[in-house]
Amino acid sequence: FNLTGVPLGEYTIKSKVKYTSREGELRFVTDQDSFKITPEPITLGTVLFAKVWLFAVWQYLAALLLLGLLVAAAHKGKEYWELHKKYQHIIVDHRLLPQPGERSAYVGLIAETHIRAFINLESLTTHTIIAGATGGGKTISAQDIVEEALDHNVAVVVFDPTGQWSGFLRPCTDKSMLKLYPHFGMSIHDAKGYKGNIFHIENPREYLDLQSRIKPGFINIINISKIDPKELDIFVANTIRQIFKMNLPESKTLKTLFVYDEVHRLLPKFGGSGAGFIQIERACREFRKWGVGVLLVSQVLSDFVGEIKANINTEIQMRTKSEGDLERVKNKYGDAILHALIKASVGTGMIQNAEYNKGRPYLISFRPLKHSPQRLSDKELNLYSKYNNQLADIEYQIQQLKDLKQDTFDVELELKLAKDKLMEGKFTMVDIYIDGLVTKLKSQFAAAGATPKQRQIKLIPQEEIEADIAIAQKERERYTQEMIKKHGKDYFENKKKGIEKPPAPKEPKKSEDPVLHFLERQRAKGLTDDQIKKKLLEHGWKEKQIEKLFKKEEQEKKKEKPSKDPLAELQLRLNALMAKVEAKKKEGKDLTLEIDTVTLPGDVKLALASKDKQKAQQLLKKMDEIEQKHNLR
Ligand SMILES: Nc1ncnc2c1ncn2[C@@H]1O[C@H](COP(=O)(O)OP(=O)(O)O)[C@@H](O)[C@H]1O
Ligand SMILES: [Mg+2]
């Protein structure tokens, strides 16, 4: 029988056989039996090969396994990436950074995140310095800031010794820049050229007529590549003098931004006399009230950070190899930042401003440019020179006509229109206006019976510039005296080195807050006991006093512990621990393996991400044990 398809159950089968025996008799035999049809027994084989929908079960299982493997690999990969993040030890509280808004400049992303980083435009009125090695991305980050300033209707003047800034007038078509757009949330439609003009200056005393050139939302690029480096000081003094003479109205918001690229060239060690700096210092002290910001771009920072730094509130440090600058970063901000900066990629740099992130520095990856990073062709540059010369000639002739008491209303208006068209890069229109103006002026001169005089380049007398430098020098002395009186004789030296002066040693009194506070800040920077001790010794502390201080710190810590939020403390403690491990490494003792510095940061990250207080407590305890065991206290 074939029982396929018969329902499960108990069956009885009966048989009845009729046959003829040998004897020839007809006989009957009957029999019956019962049996059960039961479900097939379940074996691994039947399950694995059972078909569910299109595939056999084993095929599904194999696919699941593969998926699991992939997920695990991705997870491992992410973990690896997290651990090898360059900037993971840097504490950034995103709530304490400038937020998007009407006066916020979008300059890039917080390094290794997708969080947008902004600079408050008004903070540019307390001046900015961008420092770093050649090729680290100083000019590009300055150009990001300038693009944003222009987009917010600020007038910009750039003093450009390299010619790199001329691309500002054309949209970005550079493939390697455009490729970065999506990562920074930008689209091809963001690429744009800015409105403005380019001038070539050859004489450092040339009158720049900034007053008529400055216009909100427009950029004036003053190319100074032809100025003899020895005369750069004079040029800078000249520009600052002209800004002082502009009679700008007072303003609380940023109205004008002056950019000096490659400003280290003014330093004596790069061939300058230092006079230019004295003027810049004066500018940084006084320009603010007019809403004028100064943006300095330099290869080195520590060399002129003393008096100037006291008046510059935003510091951007790109990757650097300058020992002085590295030392300064270490002194001022600690090891974590130092290491991040040494490793920083091109275009990523540290930013520090007292109002951002509680004054703690953090890293920004600066965004690609909207304008063209390529300089204009010589042909285009020559066009700008030609038109600027023609327009200056026309202006000079109009002035002569005015002196002859002629009516110049029409020609003045046309001249203004021609200038505007040039700023917009509309060369054909400029040509038309110039042709018209030349004809009109010719007939006006003929009518007045006069011939126009040739224009000479207007120069500021050398004595005037020197007198100005002398004034700046005097003011600097006065200012220096004032600061020294206020803060002590090492004030500028310390500012330069980035050293924070610890409070003078005193017999410990009941409330010794300032000293403990000082200690706390040094710890947050990741300084080890030895480093702090050295600092204190340098400032007249005695061994015994220092020991007492550390003890006191320990006691205070114990007191505070229960009330502290373990999550808040965790990252700080990890930073301090890692810094100590690094310090030991320098002394030749590598604790990396023993302490398992590979998983520890990962665990901390996890605890922070999941806000797991219990885990945080455990990790803090673990760190306590590690510190005790390896004598890192
Ligand atoms: N934020 C950035 N995005 C993309 N490329 C950058 C960035 N910063 C720098 N670069 C690249 O590095 C090069 C050098 O940068 P630049 O700003 O001219 O350096 P510096 O002024 O420090 O000498 C640029 O031409 C550009 O190719
Ligand atoms: Mg540069």
Side-chain angles (χ1 to χ4, degrees), residues 138-139 164 261-262:
K138 300 184 295 294
T139 300
Q164 204 185 338
D261 201 350
E262 300 277 299

Side-chain angles (χ1 to χ4, degrees), residues 109-120:
L109 301 174
I110 308 292
E112 287 172 342
T113 75
H114 287 281
I115 299 164
R116 292 174 150 236
F118 296 90
I119 290 179
N120 183 318

Side-chain angles (χ1 to χ4, degrees), residues 133-141 144 164 177 180 346-347 366-368:
T134 311
K138 300 184 295 294
T139 300
I140 304 278
S141 53
D144 282 339
Q164 204 185 338
M177 281 281 169
L180 297 170
V346 169
F366 286 87
R367 65 164 173 77

